[in-house]
């Protein structure tokens, strides 16, 4: 908890647990992002899932596709749930800002809402690191909530959460500045399951590759 009484992300997601999966499992652009990844992957390929949550649906679907999946999450509860739900993947309790991997370790990286609790400088740094971790031709699927916001406290499934993002038109430029080629973007509104129209959020999916 910070000085303003806002819980840190690990605390929020520890409290949410499986409720997070229930709210976002059906998000269409999550599934489109998975489709984009699987279309470019082969059985045995190594995939990194940043902010892996409960493991569903991202790690679960990638494992079903024959991939070797490593998931990272800052929440103890999420990692415990993911290990139970997707025993075919490997999950680590880790802050994505602190974990490192050798260059060209992965054929793909999934970042489904993983950057929203980072600062703008940390997001730029993470995109650079993702490029380094990807093998040539490797794919990034990035899903976020766009907005010209920085350290804004928003209500998130009943919890105040401090988030940062970039406007939709800035994201392709950020990826290109990190050395990634943007393949496509897609945006649409989404209402988390069990919530009303007042909780509508806009999702932005970007698929990119390392040349």
């Amino acid at each position: 908890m910070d000085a303003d009484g806002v819980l840190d992300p690990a605390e929020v997601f520890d409290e949410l647990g499986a409720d997070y999966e229930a709210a976002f499992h059906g998000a269409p652009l999550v599934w489109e992002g998975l489709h984009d990844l699987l279309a470019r992957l082969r059985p045995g390929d190594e995939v990194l899932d940043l902010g892996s949550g409960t493991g569903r649906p991202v790690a679960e679907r990638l494992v079903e596709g024959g991939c070797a999946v490593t998931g990272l999450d800052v929440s103890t509860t999420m990692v415990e749930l993911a290990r139970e739900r997707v025993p075919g993947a490997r999950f680590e309790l880790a802050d994505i800002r602190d974990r490192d991997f050798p260059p060209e370790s992965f054929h793909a990286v999934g970042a489904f809402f993983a950057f929203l609790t980072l600062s703008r400088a940390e997001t730029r740094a993470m995109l650079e690191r993702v490029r380094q971790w990807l093998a040539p031709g490797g794919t990034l699927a990035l899903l976020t909530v766009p907005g010209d916001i920085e350290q804004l406290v928003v209500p998130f499934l009943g919890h105040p959460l401090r988030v940062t993002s970039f406007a939709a038109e800035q994201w392709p430029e950020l990826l290109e500045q990190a050395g990634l080629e943007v393949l496509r973007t897609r945006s649409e509104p989404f209402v988390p399951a069990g919530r009303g129209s007042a909780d509508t959020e806009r999702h932005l999916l970007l698929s990119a590759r390392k040349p």
Side-chain angles (χ1 to χ4, degrees):
M1 182 179 296
D2 64 20
D4 296 325
V6 179
L7 297 178
D8 67 34
E11 293 171 316
V12 171
F13 288 101
D14 279 345
E15 291 195 12
L16 285 174
D19 290 343
Y20 175 79
E21 177 186 327
F24 287 91
H25 188 277
L29 292 189
V30 170
W31 290 95
E32 284 198 31
L34 280 168
H35 176 79
D36 289 349
L37 289 179
L38 287 165
R40 301 178 64 87
L41 291 168
R42 297 172 297 180
D45 280 354
E46 296 278 350
V47 183
L48 178 63
D49 182 10
L50 297 172
S52 46
T54 68
R56 292 178 176 169
V58 177
E60 182 178 64
R61 182 67 190 90
L62 290 167
V63 168
E64 290 171 352
C67 299
V69 179
T70 298
L72 305 181
D73 204 283
V74 74
S75 163
T76 301
T77 298
M78 291 298 190
V79 170
E80 290 173 350
L81 288 170
R83 288 170 176 168
E84 294 172 2
R85 284 161 159 70
V86 193
R90 182 167 65 90
F91 297 96
E92 298 181 19
L93 179 63
D95 188 317
I96 63 173
R97 296 168 296 184
D98 300 331
R99 187 67 167 88
D100 202 6
F101 298 95
E104 302 184 6
S105 293
F106 297 99
H107 299 91
V109 173
F112 293 83
F113 308 114
F115 296 157
L116 282 167
T117 57
L118 305 185
S119 71
R120 288 185 166 183
E122 288 167 341
T123 296
R124 291 186 178 96
M126 281 301 306
L127 290 173
E128 292 278 356
R129 295 170 71 200
V130 165
R131 179 188 57 78
Q132 294 171 14
W133 296 338
L134 283 171
T139 305
L140 167 66
L142 189 155
L143 184 59
T144 191
V145 178
D148 187 10
I149 54 175
E150 189 160 13
Q151 295 294 291
L152 178 68
V153 177
V154 301
F156 179 70
L157 302 182
H159 298 269
L161 184 66
R162 197 177 299 278
V163 300
T164 296
S165 190
F166 297 86
E169 61 271 18
Q170 292 179 292
W171 278 101
E173 182 180 353
L174 289 169
L175 294 176
E176 291 166 359
Q177 289 172 349
L180 297 166
E181 175 191 356
V182 177
L183 302 175
R184 78 180 189 103
T185 65
R186 174 86 184 270
S187 179
E188 66 176 55
F190 175 73
V191 180
R195 299 282 159 168
S197 59
D199 293 309
T200 300
E201 55 189 46
R202 180 153 291 277
H203 290 176
L204 174 66
L205 174 67
L206 302 104
S207 296
R209 68 183 288 274
K210 179 177 178 176

